[in-house]
Amino acid sequence: MPKIATREAYGEALTEIGEKIKEIVVLDADLSKSTKTSVFAKKFPERFFNIGIAEQNLMGIAAGLATCGKIPFASTFAVFATGRAFEQIRNSICYPKLNVKIAASHAGLTVGEDGATHQSIEDIALMRTLPNMVVINPADAVETKKAIYAAAMYNGPVYIRLGRHPVDVIFDESYEFQLGKGIVLREGKDVAIIATGVMVAEALKAHEELKKENIHAMVVNISTIKPIDKELLLKAADCKAVITVEEHTIYGGLGSAVTEVLSEEKPVLVKRIGIEDTFGESGKPEELLKKYGLTVERIVCEAKKILGIKG
Amino acid sequence: MLNNEKIEELCNISKRVRKNIIEMITEAGSGHPGGSLSCADILVALYFHVMKVDPQNPGWEDRDRFVLSKGHAAPAIYAVLAEKGFFPVDELKTLRKVDSRLQGHPDMKKTPGIDMTTGSLGQGISAAVGMALAGKLDKKDYRVYAVLGDGELQEGQVWEAAMAAAHYKLDNLTIFLDHNHLQIDGTVKEVLSPEDVGEKFKAFNWNVININGHDFYQIIDAVEKAKKIKEKPTAIIAETIKGKGVPFMENQVDWHGKAPSKEQAKEALNYLN
């Protein structure tokens, strides 16, 4: 399987869609080489604005552009986009429901060596609390491209979470991304593994491992975390238990979103796999995923545990 | 044309706007009279002489834009918009009440004529920069105006926006500083002095004009000068009096965010008659 970082797909998608939709403008906060908006900037220099290292202003200018009919894609690292500019996103973008897309790269532990200050592990939680905000966390390069198209066509604020680290390509070009819809990637009745973002590829590998032991795991990809696909979650809850997997704190992200729905509508035992009330640290992405328990082995182990199978 | 007749008309509008500000805040039982009264003349000059707007078509694409960055002065913009015909003057008494189109701070989705949702200080100016950028991109000749408070300059975002406006040479952007020298906790100088604000904007490569913010000749003249400046945004530093027009409110910190009692309102209206 080829590995491509979702941010790479973002840069390509922007450039393609920028050709078709002239209202699209792109803003960055001095990270265009890393967020890959530089690809767009090269092709459409007049529609690219570097706002400098000023994320609050980045969001405000994007809001102003949106009031004049533009479709701004405001890009920076997830930790700065959602943390430093949270209140700007809340009051200047979400409250007036302006048509701004926030594309946040370098999310999660897999930023790697830069360490905890740059590892955004709470961005989904922050963005999910905001009324009017749509939150998308694509699993691979193909889904990222399709999600960027869908975001551009949707009228309102959208947060798109992107990663720095290359990840497996799961989907082929025939995949149809639908805003607000999840997808069952593998059928199974014993346990449902509901994953998001870069952890989807790991969930698929866990499915294969479990199959060897005659455990049939359903694998669900939830790329739109808000609004979440309730119908699909209820279907997953037909399994004996549910496991959620995300490269994000277990507080407020996918795991919380899933348990909110299931505890109210179809109570089932849920185990949340994610970062557990701790900051990350410097290291290679793979080393960090291992240290913080975001691995195939961990998913397999938790699946057996929740099913009461001794491993 | 700006003649004595026009000035008199603006003065009369301003008087009605001030009375409405007092009445609506009294009726609401809360709000910000001081800073609404201090920027009232600037808003009247903009909406009744300077800006191209159409009350029948608030979303008109080619209109001039206005952002009240100091969103707590919402009563001032509401009174001006009602006077201009964007919605009935009668509606002003619904300010801050449930189901009203007139929120405590401006909401562009609810109130006809409001171009940007504001209220969190420092954010409006960035949106104004975005609007001016869009105007340049579309080669439109509309202009963007914003009013900021002097306490608001303590927000770092203001200077981020100031940098960007100069960098992108936004000569279609004009901001007014409602320089009334007071904020909630005391004088701006005591709380956290921004020192010489004119020099600060100049250092950010803005065109700076100093005026008396209650003199219609000076307000309009400054706008005309700003229109002639190329490749630079303009900051009009308008010296104003907080609570202007109501003697017992003038220059009093206490009247930043307090509604007058019925008796106080009566007294205030007497002064404004």
Side-chain angles (χ1 to χ4, degrees):
Chain A
M1 263 193 288
K3 281 185 182 277
I4 307 172
T6 51
R7 65 177 167 140
E8 299 277 356
Y10 168 58
E12 282 173 29
L14 265 188
T15 313
E16 282 172 25
I17 198 169
E19 186 78 66
K20 290 178 195 150
I21 305 176
K22 301 294 176 200
E23 287 78 22
I24 287 182
V25 292
V26 176
L27 297 88
D28 207 302
D30 191 41
L31 290 168
S32 67
K33 291 183 189 81
S34 302
T35 61
K36 300 298 168 190
T37 59
S38 56
V39 186
F40 181 94
K42 208 170 164 192
K43 196 164 175 197
F44 305 106
E46 72 290 351
R47 283 153 62 193
F48 174 79
F49 303 107
N50 203 327
I51 304 303
I53 311 162
E55 294 77 14
Q56 303 174 5
N57 192 38
L58 170 81
M59 298 306 170
I61 290 181
L65 283 160
T67 69
C68 297
K70 300 293 166 202
I71 307 175
F73 276 76
S75 309
T76 182
F77 288 2
V79 72
F80 310 129
T82 63
R84 186 181 291 242
F86 177 77
E87 200 231 329
Q88 280 72 16
I89 295 174
R90 179 187 190 273
N91 284 330
S92 290
I93 295 174
C94 286
Y95 174 33
K97 204 180 178 197
L98 290 173
N99 199 16
V100 175
K101 318 302 161 189
I102 298 162
S105 72
H106 295 60
L109 287 174
T110 47
V111 178
E113 290 84 345
D114 278 343
T117 55
H118 285 55
Q119 292 163 350
S120 176
I121 56 171
E122 61 293 280
D123 55 312
I124 294 174
L126 288 169
M127 293 297 102
R128 203 167 70 84
T129 60
L130 291 174
N132 295 329
M133 183 65 103
V134 167
V135 181
I136 307 177
N137 185 25
D140 74 348
V142 173
E143 190 171 46
T144 299
K145 271 195 167 185
K146 309 241 174 191
I148 296 298
Y149 272 82
M153 301 309 289
Y154 169 82
N155 187 12
V158 179
Y159 177 73
I160 307 146
R161 186 184 214 232
L162 303 164
R164 169 184 169 273
H165 191 55
V167 289
D168 293 341
V169 175
I170 301 162
F171 296 103
D172 61 39
E173 288 300 330
S174 67
Y175 169 60
E176 281 180 32
F177 173 86
Q178 260 187 295
L179 205 70
K181 291 282 172 205
I183 181 170
V184 177
L185 295 174
R186 298 285 184 275
E187 294 289 353
K189 282 185 202 147
D190 296 328
V191 60
I193 304 170
I194 301 175
T196 188
V198 300
M199 297 312 294
V200 175
E202 306 313 299
L204 288 171
K205 288 172 202 157
H207 167 92
E208 297 304 322
E209 290 302 312
L210 289 164
K211 199 157 74 178
K212 287 178 194 162
E213 300 187 48
N214 213 24
I215 300 168
H216 302 283
M218 175 191 268
V219 178
V220 174
N221 170 34
I222 292 288
S223 41
T224 310
I225 294 182
K226 190 187 170 198
I228 203 157
D229 188 345
K230 279 191 181 184
E231 206 182 323
L232 184 54
L233 296 187
L234 295 178
K235 191 179 161 198
D238 282 339
C239 294
K240 290 170 202 151
V242 169
I243 294 174
T244 62
V245 197
E246 61 195 310
E247 192 201 8
H248 182 272
T249 167
I250 54 169
Y251 303 110
L254 172 74
S256 298
V258 169
T259 51
E260 283 160 18
V261 172
L262 296 185
S263 62
E264 282 185 356
E265 305 198 22
K266 201 168 182 178
V268 59
L269 198 55
V270 179
K271 172 67 192 176
R272 293 168 298 155
I273 298 179
I275 299 152
E276 294 182 23
D277 206 20
T278 178
F279 286 102
E281 64 182 85
S282 291
K284 290 197 174 71
E286 290 80 6
E287 292 169 340
L288 293 170
L289 290 173
K290 196 171 172 195
K291 177 162 180 179
Y292 292 88
L294 296 168
T295 58
V296 177
E297 295 72 29
R298 170 88 189 287
I299 301 171
V300 168
C301 169
E302 295 292 353
K304 287 190 199 164
K305 215 195 278 179
I306 202 169
L307 292 170
I309 298 165
K310 282 190 185 142
Chain B
M1 259 305 277
L2 196 60
N3 50 32
N4 287 343
E5 217 173 301
K6 182 73 192 179
I7 295 289
E8 203 186 321
E9 185 198 328
L10 294 175
C11 286
N12 287 333
I13 294 169
S14 233
K15 209 182 265 182
R16 289 201 292 276
V17 161
R18 285 199 158 84
K19 284 199 265 187
N20 279 330
I21 289 171
I22 295 298
E23 283 180 339
M24 66 201 290
I25 295 175
T26 308
E27 173 70 27
S30 70
H32 299 80
S36 296
L37 293 169
S38 67
C39 68
D41 297 319
I42 295 166
L43 299 194
V44 168
L46 285 174
Y47 277 87
F48 289 88
H49 189 76
V50 174
M51 287 169 55
K52 288 182 296 177
V53 291
D54 179 3
Q56 301 308 311
N57 184 12
W60 174 36
E61 265 185 39
D62 295 328
R63 74 191 185 279
D64 288 330
R65 267 76 171 169
F66 177 75
V67 180
L68 186 65
S69 200
K70 46 170 286 182
H72 54 280
I77 186 70
Y78 295 156
V80 167
L81 290 175
E83 185 74 28
K84 187 81 182 170
F86 280 88
F87 53 85
V89 174
D90 242 16
E91 201 172 329
L92 294 176
K93 59 176 182 284
T94 68
L95 172 74
R96 291 180 166 239
K97 292 185 175 166
V98 74
D99 293 332
S100 170
R101 295 199 289 180
L102 307 180
Q103 295 295 295
H105 292 82
D107 179 335
M108 64 183 286
K109 286 289 154 92
K110 286 203 164 77
T111 314
I114 293 289
D115 290 323
M116 182 63 201
T117 297
T118 53
S120 181
L121 295 178
Q123 295 189 20
I125 181 172
S126 294
V129 170
M131 292 171 184
L133 262 185
K136 289 279 176 194
L137 196 55
D138 291 339
K139 299 190 169 48
K140 297 235 180 199
D141 65 357
Y142 67 73
R143 299 185 62 83
V144 183
Y145 298 92
V147 169
L148 280 80
D150 45 6
E152 183 175 8
L153 300 187
Q154 290 155 0
E155 287 284 1
Q157 186 177 353
V158 169
W159 303 103
E160 294 182 358
M163 235 185 291
H167 180 83
Y168 285 102
K169 301 183 170 42
L170 300 179
D171 50 20
N172 53 350
L173 173 69
T174 300
I175 68 159
F176 281 88
L177 182 71
D178 179 13
H179 205 6
N180 64 33
H181 303 274
L182 294 178
Q183 60 188 108
I184 300 179
D185 274 356
T187 67
V188 174
K189 207 173 169 181
E190 278 165 8
V191 174
L192 192 100
S193 175
E195 300 298 337
D196 189 331
V197 290
E199 287 303 316
K200 281 206 159 56
F201 277 103
K202 272 183 209 157
F204 278 79
N205 204 22
W206 283 54
N207 173 45
V208 174
I209 303 172
N210 290 285
I211 61 161
N212 172 348
H214 299 304
D215 179 328
F216 286 115
Y217 277 111
Q218 291 190 36
I219 298 169
I220 290 162
D221 181 54
V223 169
E224 291 308 321
K225 282 180 180 150
K227 281 183 184 170
K228 292 192 184 94
I229 297 286
K230 296 289 165 218
E231 303 206 330
K232 269 187 186 190
T234 293
I236 299 172
I237 316 284
E239 288 300 319
T240 58
I241 295 169
K242 199 147 178 169
K244 170 75 176 172
V246 180
F248 65 86
M249 289 184 176
E250 286 187 359
N251 287 318
Q252 298 299 312
V253 168
D254 278 357
W255 288 102
H256 172 87
K258 185 174 75 173
S261 66
K262 289 240 160 74
E263 292 69 35
Q264 286 168 324
K266 211 169 150 191
E267 195 188 338
L269 293 172
N270 279 338
Y271 284 118
L272 292 168
N273 271 325

